[in-house]
Amino acid sequence: MTDKQIKDQAAIREIFTCWSAAARNKDLGGVMALYSDDICSYDAVGPLQFSGREDYRAHWERCMAFDDEFIMEPQEPIIRVSGHLAVARFLIRCGMRKKDGTEQASWMRSSYHLEKQGGEWRIAHEHFSVPFDFENGAAQFGLQP
């Protein structure tokens, strides 16, 4: 791996550190600063697709309207970099914690396509998913890594 790839991987790791901290702190500006203008997201929460900054910002605003605390606990990302493009993947524990301490959270899968734009890495595509049972179609929220 080249020195440039090592530096790019470190910069991308920092994006995910900032992303999870901003989400937990309900810092909408901090979250949105990490996305490209033409972000496409396949979030675990419907609709099927969010297209563009305005669409995804409105989704994040709805998510942050709850009084509950966000749970955003990503595992260490696996990152591949080639030129101005990168992909990353990791498991992440996501959900909400109520004021009484009860949680509604599960492990999910996440993958990312990032692009270097104007010398800065930005998230251009993200995909979250929850596995489901093939036989009955039920989401498998209880799986552990």
Side-chain angles (χ1 to χ4, degrees), residues 21-35:
R24 281 192 306 271
N25 292 320
K26 297 187 179 182
D27 174 4
L28 181 59
V31 168
M32 294 309 300
L34 304 171
Y35 293 109

Side-chain angles (χ1 to χ4, degrees), residues 7-19 31 33-40 77-90 110-127:
K7 288 173 75 174
D8 284 337
Q9 283 187 345
I12 291 167
R13 272 192 188 82
E14 182 62 20
I15 283 177
F16 294 122
T17 298
C18 292
W19 175 85
V31 168
L34 304 171
Y35 293 109
S36 66
D37 288 339
D38 63 347
I39 176 66
C40 174
I78 306 299
I79 301 168
R80 303 284 188 263
V81 178
S82 180
H84 72 284
L85 298 175
V87 294
R89 69 179 190 273
F90 51 85
S110 62
S111 56
Y112 292 81
H113 153 206
L114 298 98
E115 295 178 4
K116 201 167 206 179
Q117 302 171 348
E120 300 290 326
W121 286 102
R122 294 287 178 257
I123 301 168
H125 175 73
E126 68 182 359
H127 186 148

Side-chain angles (χ1 to χ4, degrees), residues 55-67:
D55 192 26
Y56 206 36
R57 180 182 186 90
H59 168 67
W60 273 102
E61 285 174 342
R62 286 189 301 276
C63 290
M64 291 181 178
F66 294 94
D67 288 335

